[in-house]
Amino acid sequence: LSWRIFVTDIAMIPDGAPRARTARLMCAAAVAGAAVLVWWEGRQHFGTGASQASVGAVIGAALGSAVLLGRGRQQHRSGAWLIEARPFDRGDRLRCPAQAGEVAVWIILLFAVIGWDLFSFVRQSHDWPTLSYLVGRVTRFDWGRAAFFAAWLGCGAYLAVGGRRSEPS
Amino acid sequence: MAPGSAVWLALGLAVAAWTVIEIVRRRSAAIPGRLVGWLVGSWLGRIVMLGVWAEVGWHLFTQRP
C-alpha cells in the first residue's frame, strides 16, 4: 500500500477512486515489466554487449529514479545522519542484552563471510573459491542467472525508492 | 569437495540457521532490515548502498566471476 501511495504521490495523481486504480495499474505494469526483463536477462551471457547494455541501463534507471522520485523525501539530511550515526536508537531494545547478543551474532557472521571471501580471493585457487565464483557456477544456467537477477533487481528497487517519506518536505 | 567449498557450506548453513532462529523468535530477521533501513535514511547512505549494489550487479552479470 505504501508503495502505491508513493507511486501516486510521485505522479501527482489526484485523490479518489481513479487514484487507487491508476496506482494498481502502475504497480502491475512495473511488475510485468520487471518479469519480462528477468526472463530476458536469464538468457544472456557474461561479457556480451547485450548483458552490459541491459545491466548498465538498469543501474542508470535505478540511480535516475532514486534522484528524480526521491527529491525532498529523505528521512534525514546527510550531515545530521553522519553525526548521529547510530542504526539503533538509544531508547531501543538494543539496551536489552538479548538483542545486543543478536546484533553480535549478525556482525560475526557478516565479518566471517567478508573475511573468508578476502582470504579466498588472495589464494586465487579453485580449491579456495570466492563467493562470486560460487555464484558464477549458478548463474551459468539460465534459471540461476534469472533468479539472481530478480533478487538483484528487487534490492535495487528498494534502495532506489524505498524507505522514504510518503510526502515531500 | 574442495576445502574452501566446505567452509562456504558451513558459513551458508550458519547464516541460514541463524535467520531461521530469528524468524522463529518472531523478529523476522529485523536487525539486518533495520540496518538497511537506516542506511537508506539519507542521500549519502543511499548513494553508497546503490554504488555497492551497482558494482555487485556489474560484476555478477557482465563479468565472468
Side-chain angles (χ1 to χ4, degrees):
Chain A
L1 179 65
S2 61
W3 277 72
R4 255 193 258 156
I5 292 168
F6 184 73
V7 168
T8 49
D9 281 346
I10 299 285
M12 291 179 285
I13 299 167
D15 286 331
R19 172 191 171 99
R21 195 167 48 243
T22 306
R24 275 198 299 272
L25 282 173
M26 288 173 76
C27 284
V31 170
V36 170
L37 180 62
V38 166
W39 173 81
W40 180 82
E41 186 65 41
R43 279 145 187 80
Q44 305 307 308
H45 300 285
F46 301 111
T48 62
S51 70
Q52 290 174 344
S54 61
V55 172
V58 169
I59 291 171
L63 293 174
S65 59
V67 172
L68 287 175
L69 304 183
R71 207 168 31 179
R73 292 171 185 266
Q74 279 299 139
Q75 301 279 357
H76 309 287
R77 292 185 176 280
S78 292
W81 178 83
L82 261 183
I83 292 167
E84 298 178 11
R86 55 181 191 219
F88 304 99
D89 293 336
R90 287 197 180 152
D92 214 331
R93 287 179 302 162
L94 189 59
R95 280 186 167 175
C96 168
Q99 197 186 16
E102 289 172 41
V103 172
V105 172
W106 281 116
I107 290 172
I108 289 168
L109 289 172
L110 179 67
F111 276 85
V113 169
I114 292 171
W116 188 251
D117 200 36
L118 282 173
F119 173 82
S120 304
F121 180 75
V122 170
R123 298 295 290 260
Q124 288 290 315
S125 162
H126 286 321
D127 282 343
W128 307 94
T130 59
L131 191 54
S132 69
Y133 175 80
L134 293 176
V135 170
R137 292 181 69 172
V138 177
T139 56
R140 71 172 67 165
F141 303 105
D142 289 358
W143 59 268
R145 185 177 171 89
F148 270 90
F149 189 80
W152 180 72
L153 204 57
C155 290
Y158 178 76
L159 293 176
V161 299
R164 298 184 190 272
R165 293 195 303 262
S166 59
E167 297 293 332
S169 58
Chain B
M1 181 184 288
S5 300
V7 174
W8 278 120
L9 182 62
L11 281 172
L13 288 174
V15 171
W18 184 243
T19 304
V20 168
I21 289 169
E22 288 280 86
I23 290 171
V24 167
R25 292 159 83 178
R26 292 186 170 275
R27 297 227 175 120
S28 60
I31 291 170
R34 283 168 63 193
L35 184 63
V36 173
W38 171 73
L39 283 167
V40 298
S42 76
W43 276 117
L44 182 62
R46 187 182 297 273
I47 292 300
V48 168
M49 290 295 285
L50 277 169
V52 171
W53 167 81
E55 168 55 28
V56 167
W58 187 261
H59 177 60
L60 290 183
F61 302 116
T62 71
Q63 301 171 327
R64 186 177 290 279

